[in-house]
Amino acid sequence: MKTLPFNPLHTRGLSLLLLLAAAALGVFIALHHPLWQPVPLLGFVLAAAWFFVNPGLWLVIVPALLPLLGLAPWTGWISFEEVDLLILAAAVGGYARCAYRTSACSLRLSWSCLFLAGLMSISLLLAMTRGFADAGGFVFGWYQGYDGPMNSVRIARSFFLALLMVPLMAPQHDQSATAVARKLALGMALGLATASLVALWERLAFTDLLNFSSDYRSTALFWEMHVGGAALDGWLLLTFPFAIWALRNAVGAPQSAIALTLVGLAAYASLTTFSRGVYLALLVSIPLLLWQTRSKGVLGEAGDQAPHWGVVRWVVAITCLAAMARLVFPYGGYRGLLALFGVVVVALSTPLVLRNTPPGRLLAGSVLGFLLGALLVVFSNFLPKGPYVLFALLFFSVFGLLHAPKVMAVRFRPAICLGGFVCLALAAANVTGHWGGVEALPGSCLALAMLFLVVLVGALARQPLWPADWRWQGGLLTIALVVSGTVAVFFGGAYMGDRFSTSGQDLDWRLSHWKQAVALLETSGDVVFGKGLGRFPANYYFAAPNGASPGAYQVRGEGGQTWLYLLGARHPMSVGDIFRVSQRLDLAAQGPFELKLKVRAGADVGIHAEVCAKHLLYSADCAIGTATIKASKGTWQPVQLRLEGKASAGGPWYAPRFKMFSVGILNQGGAADVDDLVLTAGGSDNLLANGDFGQEMQRWFFTSDHEHLPWHAKNVLVNILFDQGALGLTVFLLMTLGALWRLNLGKARGHRLSPYLTASIIGFLAVGMFDSLTDVPRLAFIYYLLVLYAISLVAFGPPPTTLQATRQTPSPREAV
């Protein structure tokens, strides 16, 4: 494939041009950041300088920090984000280095990449222009909502930022194409880790870690989910394959343990999205990845005598693990599952010690273990927490015995190990019975009997049933955790079961919603070029079935005074359906709270105000105040509310709970102007910033906690068709198919990252079948970056030419 040639003069000129553009835009955004001035500007300059010295590290840093750098709930910004500053700083540093040392940069792109990127740029610019027109003309603003012309800029920026960064992904003179790929993969894996850790914090702070009954769905720090959507879902699917990459490329026990932990955290985050789209996408992308890698041990390299585990063995193993978890969990709960998992850990190593042991000695060890275990179980039930203490002592004793062969004489060690395993199994059954009662024992005993049978078969088999490699076993244990978590999600609470029971009805709703979205394309120009970038929420507002809009807001002004206009939802609603305008409060803010404000209404209206423990969509421990305001015919009325109820504390230090003040319209279709909001607690100063809206929506943020359909097309292809028309959809499909072709059938099919990039793109699109995704700029940026990178892979240097090259054990320097 031919590439675009650049001589040093062209390289320096283009680098200077892009450097100046990125620097000017970055400084402009940093100077207007709502918080902590002049920290954003100083941070931008320092980051640009650091990326100048370390130009390739942006591939690690940007994906790693992307899930964290979105502070809209604190700033009120939605048109721009903090991640824009990081990307622009990386561009400034990279292009400054290219301008300074032209020999250090190639800026090579394939002709196919340039052609497709050019078509997409034309489509986006046309759609952005149409978006401005649909919004009534372009007006710049820092705090416009989804109905303003800046929403077109918000959507367009993701592709152009990706296009800005792709030339910097070309290998430089001091690095190889493999090094670039390795940094990108590491950054994606770290991005998965940061998002998963935030999701873990969210569960710890706002719901129990193992509570799968409530309807609380993880959102992490993806503020774009304030009106629903699947931002976290899309990010998990984009990055999950790179957790497998990290596991396969780990060197040594510490790195492998970290990678296994990452897989477990990501699996937990995926489970707690309670998204059927996520589950389906993982079932598509991860098996595809495992099939493409075609290694003996996708989760670790097996030894010389390790058996080949094909699809059948994996299916049998996963089915058995799921069956055992299903037997234990209904009555044994999480304690029973944890005890079962401990026995599984020991069971993986036990057959290797028992091999070539005479059957009579195995029988003797089993009988002695049963008798001793029964005695210990009876004794433990007379002690406080005795069943748990006994299980812990037996687990560490047996595990140590299995992995410390010099402790016991070789002749007796197998029998003692088997006896210890039987003792541990009885202790696990005792834990389950202690927690769940007599009803828990039949299922637990049957599951443990299955596990004992597997151990015996493994001990008597001619060849090992599974590899002895500890990385492989760690991978299987990770799968066991995922399977156990899945069983807990589906059988530990009614929420997930209810969601799957309504899948058919939900699909009908989505089909109807997609038809409504397409029907909004009224003219031939709309069909070909789109209605305009980001214009779906504004157009759907006026076309909602039965006029059932979710509510709206607008900052208005006259004669130097500004105020907030609030419009309530136009459908029957509960408290959870209120359209809220909110502001973060300090964690230390404590009630009782009092609110003073001015209200003006043309008709009687109900005002709702609250202070809640709230991250994004789900409220808890609220102090609430309401008031009925009589029509005032243009006159401002002072209102004073005392917010009644328990105001939550800030939570533990390791999982602080955010607090949020919100105000909204309580009655259906009600409308009012509000101004001069003052929130106090025990005579404190005003806890709210910009309560008079003199700085527009700075520090304010809105949420639609329950009503999500009006804000999204709910399908990535329908969304692009609506925004960019048939032209944009065709280019999007050409880019995506071109990347997949290049990775799987083209000259990049032997590249080290080909299976992972393929799984990432496929997983993203699978989630996108049920949500828009490209209306989340952070997600769209990474998606377009991966697609453009995949199309240009051949231009970036010779990859490994055979799949065998991907199976080579990485050197410590190359491995992560």
Side-chain angles (χ1 to χ4, degrees), residues 237 240-241 244 281-292 298 759:
L237 268 296
F240 205 115
I244 307 299
L282 286 174
L283 287 175
V284 171
S285 64
I286 298 304
L288 174 65
L289 172 61
L290 301 184
W291 174 74
Q292 283 192 310
V298 170

Side-chain angles (χ1 to χ4, degrees), residues 308-534:
H308 174 68
W309 267 52
V311 175
V312 174
R313 290 201 181 196
W314 279 111
V315 170
V316 170
I318 293 173
T319 302
C320 289
L321 289 169
M324 290 187 290
R326 179 68 178 89
L327 288 168
V328 170
F329 183 75
Y331 293 104
Y334 297 106
R335 289 172 174 81
L337 267 186
L338 186 61
L340 174 66
F341 181 77
V343 181
V344 172
V345 171
V346 172
L348 282 178
S349 301
T350 302
L352 302 175
V353 177
L354 302 183
R355 293 187 59 77
N356 301 319
T357 302
R361 192 168 294 176
L362 294 178
L363 178 62
S366 301
V367 173
L368 289 175
F370 182 83
L371 295 175
L372 179 60
L375 182 63
L376 291 174
V377 163
V378 172
F379 179 73
S380 69
N381 285 312
F382 291 98
L383 300 175
K385 304 291 184 180
Y388 307 120
V389 174
L390 175 63
F391 181 83
L393 291 175
L394 285 175
F395 174 81
F396 288 111
S397 298
V398 177
F399 188 83
L401 183 62
L402 288 169
H403 295 277
K406 294 183 179 180
V407 175
M408 300 296 294
V410 175
R411 182 179 180 184
F412 299 104
R413 180 168 169 262
I416 294 176
C417 286
L418 182 58
F421 175 81
V422 174
C423 283
L424 183 67
L426 290 176
N430 189 37
V431 168
T432 307
H434 180 77
W435 173 253
V438 178
E439 296 87 353
L441 290 176
S444 176
C445 291
L446 179 57
L448 293 167
M450 292 171 58
L451 202 54
F452 178 74
L453 182 61
V454 170
V455 168
L456 284 184
V457 172
L460 297 174
R462 293 184 178 181
Q463 297 293 332
L465 295 183
W466 55 79
D469 179 75
W470 57 270
R471 290 198 306 172
W472 186 95
Q473 294 186 8
L476 182 64
L477 291 175
T478 302
I479 291 177
L481 276 177
V482 174
V483 170
S484 299
T486 304
V487 170
V489 166
F490 281 90
F491 298 100
Y495 180 57
M496 199 65 239
D498 291 343
R499 282 182 60 78
F500 270 86
S501 68
T502 61
S503 294
Q505 182 181 4
D506 291 345
L507 181 59
D508 290 339
W509 286 347
R510 274 183 160 78
L511 289 172
S512 175
H513 186 65
W514 297 340
K515 291 178 182 177
Q516 292 170 7
V518 174
L520 294 176
L521 303 176
E522 300 170 334
T523 68
S524 58
D526 293 342
V527 173
V528 176
F529 302 111
K531 200 76 173 181
L533 284 180

Side-chain angles (χ1 to χ4, degrees), residues 741-762:
W741 177 276
R742 181 81 42 199
L743 292 170
N744 296 278
L745 300 173
K747 295 182 179 179
R749 63 184 179 275
H751 195 276
R752 292 179 185 274
L753 289 189
S754 174
Y756 306 98
L757 290 170
T758 299
S760 178
I761 294 171
I762 293 295

Side-chain angles (χ1 to χ4, degrees), residues 155-176:
I155 301 298
R157 76 173 197 261
S158 56
F159 176 79
F160 290 112
L161 286 175
L163 187 58
L164 176 68
M165 301 307 295
V166 166
L168 295 177
M169 300 178 77
Q172 315 304 327
H173 79 290
D174 56 349
Q175 61 181 338
S176 65

Side-chain angles (χ1 to χ4, degrees), residues 4 57 66 145 174 249 354 370 373 381 470 498 550 553 579 613 628 633 643 672 680 686 694 698 735 744 796 813:
L4 184 64
L57 283 184
L66 185 143
D174 56 349
N249 288 272
L354 302 183
F370 182 83
N381 285 312
W470 57 270
D498 291 343
Y553 75 95
F579 180 86
T628 299
K633 298 182 179 180
L643 308 188
T680 58
N686 189 5
Q698 181 173 315
M735 287 179 56
N744 296 278
F796 291 169
R813 178 174 297 180

